[in-house]
Amino acid sequence: MSIITLTTDFGEGSPYVAAMKGVILTIHPEVTIVDVTHSVPAQEIRRGALVLDRVTGRFPDGSIHVAVVDPGVGTERALVYAEIGAQRYLAPDNGLLSRLALRLPPRKIIKLTQREFWLENVSDTFHGRDVLAPVAARLSLGLEPERLGPPLEKLVMLSWPEVRITPTRIAGTILEIDSFGNLVTDVSEEMLAGRPIDERVRIMCGTQKIHGIHRVYGRQPPGTLIALINSHGNLELAVVNGNAARQLDIAEGTPVTLTWE
Amino acid sequence: MSIITLTTDFGEGSPYVAAMKGVILTIHPEVTIVDVTHSVPAQEIRRGALVLDRVTGRFPDGSIHVAVVDPGVGTERALVYAEIGAQRYLAPDNGLLSRLALRLPPRKIIKLTQREFWLENVSDTFHGRDVLAPVAARLSLGLEPERLGPPLEKLVMLSWPEVRITPTRIAGTILEIDSFGNLVTDVSEEMLAGRPIDERVRIMCGTQKIHGIHRVYGRQPPGTLIALINSHGNLELAVVNGNAARQLDIAEGTPVTLTWE
Amino acid sequence: MSIITLTTDFGEGSPYVAAMKGVILTIHPEVTIVDVTHSVPAQEIRRGALVLDRVTGRFPDGSIHVAVVDPGVGTERALVYAEIGAQRYLAPDNGLLSRLALRLPPRKIIKLTQREFWLENVSDTFHGRDVLAPVAARLSLGLEPERLGPPLEKLVMLSWPEVRITPTRIAGTILEIDSFGNLVTDVSEEMLAGRPIDERVRIMCGTQKIHGIHRVYGRQPPGTLIALINSHGNLELAVVNGNAARQLDIAEGTPVTLTWE
């Protein structure tokens, strides 16, 4: 058994995704292919990086995660293989793996240069299909990653906002907005450890003020803006049975501040 | 061979769906996972209930259908396992299985309480991933459902509009609008048995009047509003090569009346 | 191992797709089902034909491609099985296979008439589920296609715009717009063979003029309109890091002219 996942910005239902699956199944018909998402906004490397960081760790050890958000396709940017935690990744080296690598340094990075493992005809505009898909299929059949090319020292890293922590204050950022309109921050459960999360904590975001952090969505009246720890262990702002992003008009990148008096 | 299907309101391409698949495949790498839909409108339990009722019976006997439309996640609502017809279901006990159970009483209902079959860390906001996914994977490996928790007498039932039938009149409701904009009613083929469905039947819905029920979409001129028996055996209003919901501005819940003179 | 792909206009996340999968898996639980796309615009046979032509050749030889864009369902149009290249197809005979058949004449065409291989109850409105899905599953189990019905001489063909080629001029058409807004033409790499593609070629489309054909998206400044050979070997107009269709307001069917002086 082996698993290949796909994460792209091609859009749900894109035939480009199907072309990648056709290439993979032609080389390894028995592999299990799972779509992580194809809804990364076009060319938004950071959004892809956040999805990979949040989801791929849930898959069986040794799963191969192919990620394609690749505005620089056909230019000098490298394509890489990387082992991070118990998972394996194939992606353009443009920062797409940098959120994962921020938390956990890669154990092995290899630059893809050996064309014998690629499709015979490689287009200049679709390396996901012509390079990453066949390489993923061959890895899933047991190919040694060392044969793909030379090792690399490190991945291209994007800069990510840093959470600033003092005894009375935590300053973070709205990192993303999920499909329910919930506002997900980069403030994690661990950062809150040992601090009161009841009415004594005051959370500010845009023009909004919230007191206390809840455990669940469902206990407050519909329409209430609440702060809670979400299923990934991050602080999140949500409107009960509503869409916080739309109702509050708060965008990604907005600062979030927690203070204790 | 075993099959697990997923029905949620997470949206197509949601990474939350992928997280559930990762959990399932970590426990049972050989299982076949099929997406029923992730386009149930957010938190609309009734819409989820209708989809489950219409589609899941098409799957092989013994398939495990995981459904997550769960506005009450983290509150007192139970999570349940139920056997209905030849199929098996895992869902919050909030009415999501009530359309299925209306037609066919469940043979077995079990409340999920045994945490040993769940993920070790259960969040308060994502029981689909932390409870239902691992339980589905374990059932697909042969776990006895009785080990999941104590039996329940019955499921939480929502009230559904009732079709009123007299010798000269059938009064139903537009239950849903499909992706083509067709208006699907709760009037079934069986209810019409023995009655004329040619020009003698008059159908009224909103300000629209139609005479006769057709067998197919394609025989009338484009743009014509027709009534027909759809592929699920329900009376449906459709505009040939068009979008009835948009053109006629008719919403779910609108009454539909059939009369014979 | 065998593979069935699905291409429809049902919309991503449509439960109708899931119903087809349920039928297939009930007959052949071990088959691998792959979604090509369900985002063909409703009832647009040409768009479906283009997708099938572009993507299905990437799949393993002998894969079974089920296509449902079927405005004439329930009328006299036939349902067919066809072998084109190394692939197998099941579709309504309404032109959906005509782009494939234009490039490569079908080796075998069979009209589906033998009801013993269909579902017992065949609706008048969903032959994808009731006829094509069970037939695909049975073919994937080894059923001889000759048993499905009588041979047909040829498929229904749609007329497609023709590319006109002279020594100093190539006149083609914008055939489709992809999910990035790139404008894909019917002018292929082969048609350009032996001609200069540097600044000496002038490309006109709508009110736009471009000089030269590039190899990649990423080397020009963001916002630049460029012409390039895309990953399917077709001439394409694209805005670097942008959406050409939206920015230039150019629709499908717009002529594209290449001239050399």
Side-chain angles (χ1 to χ4, degrees):
Chain A
M1 186 284 314
S2 51
I3 290 169
I4 294 173
T5 81
L6 304 179
T7 303
T8 78
D9 62 353
F10 301 166
E12 303 307 318
S14 166
Y16 295 115
V17 174
M20 289 181 67
K21 293 180 182 177
V23 168
I24 291 168
L25 291 167
T26 298
I27 296 171
H28 188 181
E30 308 293 340
V31 77
T32 296
I33 304 176
V34 181
D35 298 297
V36 168
T37 187
H38 304 292
S39 299
V40 176
Q43 307 176 340
E44 292 199 17
I45 296 167
R46 282 168 187 285
R47 294 290 294 272
L50 285 165
V51 167
L52 290 170
D53 182 41
R54 210 168 55 210
V55 174
T56 55
R58 294 285 173 180
F59 282 81
D61 291 358
S63 294
I64 299 165
H65 304 283
V66 177
V68 189
V69 181
D70 195 11
V73 62
T75 63
E76 307 68 27
R77 69 95 187 82
L79 292 165
V80 291
Y81 167 86
E83 296 179 6
I84 306 177
Q87 307 291 327
R88 303 191 280 169
Y89 298 88
L90 286 165
D93 188 19
N94 59 12
L96 199 48
L97 302 179
S98 69
R99 186 82 190 167
L100 279 157
L102 193 70
R103 281 201 301 118
L104 209 57
R107 282 180 298 110
K108 187 184 287 184
I109 310 171
I110 286 169
K111 183 175 174 174
L112 307 189
T113 58
Q114 293 307 100
R115 299 181 68 101
E116 64 202 274
F117 304 114
W118 306 0
L119 289 197
E120 213 176 297
N121 297 306
V122 174
S123 72
D124 289 307
T125 53
F126 194 1
H127 289 176
R129 180 194 65 194
D130 301 339
V131 181
L132 300 183
V135 165
R138 291 190 169 107
L139 286 170
S140 76
L141 284 167
L143 179 71
E144 286 298 319
E146 281 71 15
R147 296 188 55 199
L148 297 170
L152 273 183
E153 275 296 298
K154 51 182 186 174
L155 294 169
V156 168
M157 297 297 285
L158 299 176
S159 73
W160 294 92
E162 268 174 65
V163 180
R164 277 147 304 147
I165 304 181
T166 71
T168 60
R169 196 165 177 279
I170 295 182
T173 305
I174 301 293
L175 270 197
E176 38 173 352
I177 293 168
D178 75 13
S179 65
F180 294 98
N182 299 325
L183 308 165
V184 183
T185 77
D186 53 4
V187 176
S188 72
E189 206 165 8
E190 291 81 38
M191 298 172 186
L192 296 169
R195 297 175 192 251
I197 63 165
D198 57 12
E199 292 297 306
R200 282 170 287 177
V201 56
R202 194 169 64 170
I203 301 160
M204 273 171 306
C205 181
T207 61
Q208 304 293 321
K209 229 177 267 187
I210 308 171
H211 288 265
I213 297 173
H214 288 271
R215 284 274 144 203
V216 298
Y217 294 105
R219 288 224 183 85
Q220 302 295 313
T224 315
L225 175 64
I226 61 171
L228 78 167
I229 300 300
N230 73 12
S231 61
H232 302 101
N234 282 78
L235 180 73
E236 180 176 303
L237 309 188
V239 167
V240 178
N241 291 359
N243 184 305
R246 209 177 299 144
Q247 279 173 243
L248 310 179
D249 197 25
I250 286 176
E252 284 164 32
T254 305
V256 176
T257 315
L258 291 78
T259 50
W260 289 263
E261 276 152 20
Chain B
M1 188 284 313
S2 51
I3 290 168
I4 294 173
T5 82
L6 304 178
T7 303
T8 77
D9 63 352
F10 300 168
E12 302 305 319
S14 165
Y16 295 114
V17 174
M20 289 180 68
K21 292 181 182 176
V23 168
I24 290 169
L25 291 168
T26 298
I27 296 170
H28 187 181
E30 308 293 341
V31 78
T32 296
I33 304 175
V34 181
D35 298 297
V36 168
T37 188
H38 304 292
S39 299
V40 176
Q43 306 177 341
E44 292 198 17
I45 296 168
R46 280 167 189 284
R47 294 290 294 273
L50 286 166
V51 168
L52 291 170
D53 182 41
R54 210 168 54 209
V55 174
T56 54
R58 295 283 172 182
F59 281 82
D61 291 358
S63 294
I64 299 165
H65 304 282
V66 177
V68 189
V69 180
D70 195 11
V73 62
T75 64
E76 307 69 25
R77 69 94 187 83
L79 291 166
V80 290
Y81 167 85
E83 296 178 6
I84 306 178
Q87 307 291 328
R88 304 191 278 168
Y89 298 88
L90 287 165
D93 188 20
N94 58 12
L96 199 47
L97 302 179
S98 69
R99 186 83 191 166
L100 279 158
L102 193 70
R103 282 200 300 119
L104 210 57
R107 283 180 297 111
K108 186 183 287 183
I109 310 171
I110 286 169
K111 182 174 174 175
L112 307 190
T113 57
Q114 293 307 100
R115 300 181 68 101
E116 64 203 273
F117 303 114
W118 306 0
L119 290 196
E120 214 176 297
N121 297 306
V122 174
S123 72
D124 289 308
T125 53
F126 194 0
H127 289 177
R129 180 193 65 196
D130 300 339
V131 181
L132 300 183
V135 165
R138 292 189 169 107
L139 286 169
S140 77
L141 284 167
L143 179 71
E144 286 300 318
E146 281 71 16
R147 298 187 54 198
L148 298 170
L152 274 183
E153 275 296 299
K154 52 183 186 171
L155 293 169
V156 168
M157 297 298 285
L158 300 176
S159 72
W160 293 92
E162 266 174 67
V163 180
R164 278 145 302 146
I165 303 181
T166 72
T168 60
R169 198 166 175 280
I170 296 182
T173 305
I174 302 291
L175 269 196
E176 39 172 353
I177 294 169
D178 74 13
S179 64
F180 294 99
N182 299 326
L183 309 166
V184 184
T185 76
D186 53 4
V187 177
S188 72
E189 208 166 7
E190 290 80 40
M191 298 172 186
L192 296 169
R195 297 175 192 251
I197 64 166
D198 57 12
E199 292 297 307
R200 283 170 286 177
V201 56
R202 196 170 62 171
I203 301 158
M204 273 171 306
C205 180
T207 62
Q208 304 293 320
K209 229 178 266 187
I210 308 171
H211 288 265
I213 297 172
H214 289 272
R215 283 274 143 202
V216 298
Y217 294 106
R219 288 223 183 85
Q220 301 296 312
T224 316
L225 174 65
I226 62 172
L228 78 169
I229 302 298
N230 72 14
S231 61
H232 302 101
N234 282 78
L235 181 74
E236 178 176 304
L237 309 188
V239 167
V240 177
N241 291 0
N243 185 306
R246 211 177 296 143
Q247 281 173 241
L248 310 179
D249 198 24
I250 285 176
E252 285 163 32
T254 305
V256 175
T257 317
L258 292 77
T259 50
W260 289 263
E261 277 154 16
Chain C
M1 186 284 315
S2 51
I3 290 168
I4 294 173
T5 81
L6 304 179
T7 304
T8 78
D9 63 351
F10 300 166
E12 303 306 319
S14 165
Y16 295 114
V17 175
M20 290 181 67
K21 293 180 182 177
V23 169
I24 290 169
L25 291 167
T26 298
I27 296 172
H28 187 180
E30 308 293 340
V31 78
T32 296
I33 303 176
V34 181
D35 298 297
V36 167
T37 188
H38 304 292
S39 299
V40 176
Q43 305 177 341
E44 292 198 18
I45 297 169
R46 281 165 189 285
R47 294 291 294 273
L50 287 165
V51 167
L52 291 170
D53 181 43
R54 212 168 54 211
V55 174
T56 55
R58 294 286 172 179
F59 281 82
D61 291 357
S63 294
I64 299 164
H65 304 283
V66 177
V68 190
V69 181
D70 195 9
V73 63
T75 63
E76 307 69 24
R77 69 94 187 84
L79 291 166
V80 291
Y81 167 86
E83 297 179 4
I84 305 177
Q87 307 291 328
R88 303 192 279 170
Y89 297 88
L90 287 165
D93 188 20
N94 59 11
L96 198 48
L97 303 179
S98 68
R99 186 83 190 166
L100 279 157
L102 193 71
R103 281 199 302 118
L104 211 58
R107 283 181 297 109
K108 188 183 286 183
I109 310 171
I110 286 168
K111 183 175 173 174
L112 307 189
T113 58
Q114 293 307 101
R115 300 181 69 100
E116 65 202 271
F117 305 114
W118 306 0
L119 290 196
E120 215 175 296
N121 297 308
V122 174
S123 72
D124 289 308
T125 53
F126 194 1
H127 289 177
R129 181 194 64 196
D130 301 339
V131 182
L132 301 182
V135 166
R138 291 189 169 108
L139 286 170
S140 76
L141 284 168
L143 179 71
E144 285 300 319
E146 282 71 15
R147 297 187 55 197
L148 297 171
L152 273 183
E153 275 295 299
K154 50 182 187 174
L155 294 170
V156 168
M157 297 297 285
L158 300 175
S159 74
W160 293 91
E162 267 174 65
V163 180
R164 277 148 302 147
I165 304 181
T166 70
T168 59
R169 197 165 177 279
I170 295 180
T173 305
I174 302 292
L175 271 195
E176 39 173 353
I177 293 168
D178 75 12
S179 64
F180 294 99
N182 299 326
L183 308 166
V184 184
T185 76
D186 54 4
V187 177
S188 72
E189 207 166 7
E190 291 81 38
M191 298 172 185
L192 295 170
R195 297 176 192 250
I197 63 166
D198 56 13
E199 291 298 306
R200 284 170 286 178
V201 56
R202 197 169 62 172
I203 301 158
M204 273 170 308
C205 181
T207 61
Q208 303 292 321
K209 227 177 271 188
I210 308 172
H211 288 266
I213 297 172
H214 288 271
R215 285 272 144 204
V216 298
Y217 294 105
R219 289 222 183 86
Q220 302 295 313
T224 315
L225 174 64
I226 61 171
L228 78 167
I229 301 299
N230 73 11
S231 62
H232 302 100
N234 282 79
L235 181 73
E236 179 176 302
L237 309 189
V239 167
V240 178
N241 290 0
N243 185 305
R246 210 177 298 141
Q247 281 174 242
L248 310 180
D249 197 23
I250 286 176
E252 284 164 32
T254 305
V256 175
T257 316
L258 292 78
T259 50
W260 289 264
E261 280 155 14

